[in-house]
Amino acid sequence: MAKILVVDDEADLELLIKQKFRRKIRENVYEFVFAQNGEEALQRIAEHPDLDIILSDINMPVMDGLVLLSKLPDANPIVRAVMVSAYGDMHNIRMATNGGAFDFVCKPVDFEDLDLTMEKTVNHVAQVRDTIKAIKENNILKMYVDENVLNFMTHREFENNLAANEVLEATVMFVDICGFTAITENVPANTVVNIINSLFDKIVKEILAQKGHVDKFMGDAVMAVFRGNYHLDRAIDAALSIKEQLKSVEEIISGDKVFRPQVSIGINSGEMVSGNIGATSLKRLDYTVIGDAVNLAQRLQSTAKANQVIISEEVYEKAKESFKCQKIGEVTLKNKAKPVVIYEVLE
């Protein structure tokens, strides 16, 4: 239902409007609100923020239609005004349109023409509202989906082939906040959320600074992916920076429990598949990377101790010229048939 404000000082206009549009009023197509001058119209606009259009005369006491028109952007920037006036000369039409009027209807009113004008104006306002809604939803979406994913989603072929994927060389990093599960048993839920969000904020800033993107948050862990030139070096730089940033975070004391924020990090580099994983029929997808290289990165993180950045021997061979590493030795990782030689990145 469209809500329309009629602004006119003619005493019989309200009755005439209700007669001419009685059917659409009865069918809840139109709802009318009335005011006798521009000042009263501003009060009605404040009382009815869901107004769609305004039908306003020009020549009125207290505040005329052109002055009202100039105040609409502040009163309600979405509503659109159609001037309905006997002053249909070119000067007044230009004054109205330059002042922001959406359209102009001359008196005596042809109500069929007015109805078409109202319908056109209501459709325009609906499009404006849809656009604003889309912008708000997009801004909210940006808080949940990484910018790299959004850029991929804007490709024309994205909707045409949701099952499409690509094989790429990249680096995956898993960052886990150590000992966080224990503190959740002694701290109120709201406090827990605030703590973990503040830690994630520091972690993610370092990931983004190295042009990585957050693939997902998993409880108190973060999965990040680095692509492009020097992706391995950038991932390790991010990991070392995360460790450094968390040193400045104060201890969290709850009763007899003391929590010092530290992370364990696993990094692996290699070939992986990037694409949409999930149930297409249910319209629930996750744009992510999968593969043995990804699984190994997560296993490396699970074996890392607090404040350690762990890499495989294969990654060490690629990174040893740029970073100082220390060999830890062979470890048996879950779902891995053979032991894996691991290294800790020191600096």
Side-chain angles (χ1 to χ4, degrees), residues 148 168 170-173 207 210-216 223-227 231 234-235 272 274 288-289 294:
N148 292 304
L168 70 156
T171 297
V172 178
M173 177 171 70
I207 293 170
Q210 294 299 329
K211 295 182 172 58
H213 80 262
V214 174
D215 186 278
K216 60 175 67 70
M223 174 184 170
V225 181
F226 296 78
R227 309 181 185 209
H231 52 81
R234 289 187 283 109
M272 58 197 71
S274 172
T288 186
V289 292
V294 180

Side-chain angles (χ1 to χ4, degrees), residues 271-311:
E271 187 176 272
M272 58 197 71
V273 177
S274 172
N276 292 294
I277 309 299
T280 306
S281 60
L282 299 177
K283 297 184 179 180
R284 181 63 180 91
L285 299 170
D286 191 8
Y287 182 74
T288 186
V289 292
I290 60 172
D292 185 63
V294 180
N295 296 337
L296 180 55
Q298 189 169 31
R299 301 289 182 263
L300 293 172
Q301 180 278 311
S302 66
T303 198
K305 297 177 181 178
N307 217 33
Q308 281 189 329
V309 179
I310 299 299
I311 59 176

Side-chain angles (χ1 to χ4, degrees), residues 33-65:
V33 180
F34 296 90
Q36 293 186 342
N37 56 64
E39 189 173 287
E40 189 177 327
L42 291 175
Q43 296 175 5
R44 297 290 179 271
I45 293 169
E47 294 166 359
H48 302 274
D50 57 342
L51 280 170
D52 293 291
I53 63 175
I54 296 173
L55 305 178
S56 178
D57 193 7
I58 291 180
N59 187 24
M60 295 180 293
V62 185
M63 181 188 293
D64 66 37

Side-chain angles (χ1 to χ4, degrees), residues 3 25 31 62 69 89 97 106 119 141 162 184 189 192 215 237 258 311 329:
K3 184 175 283 191
I25 293 172
E31 177 185 352
V62 185
L69 198 58
D89 57 279
T97 53
C106 294
E119 185 178 334
L141 182 63
L162 289 173
T184 60
V192 169
D215 186 278
D237 279 335
V258 178
I311 59 176

Side-chain angles (χ1 to χ4, degrees), residues 305-345:
K305 297 177 181 178
N307 217 33
Q308 281 189 329
V309 179
I310 299 299
I311 59 176
S312 67
E313 186 171 35
E314 184 179 349
V315 171
Y316 164 74
E317 292 298 330
K318 299 176 183 177
K320 63 183 180 182
E321 293 184 0
S322 301
F323 300 93
K324 181 180 177 181
C325 304
Q326 177 178 297
K327 185 176 181 179
I328 295 177
E330 285 189 350
V331 294
T332 301
L333 301 178
K334 183 179 179 182
N335 295 331
K336 290 293 178 183
K338 297 179 180 179
V340 177
V341 177
I342 61 173
Y343 288 75
E344 178 183 358
V345 181

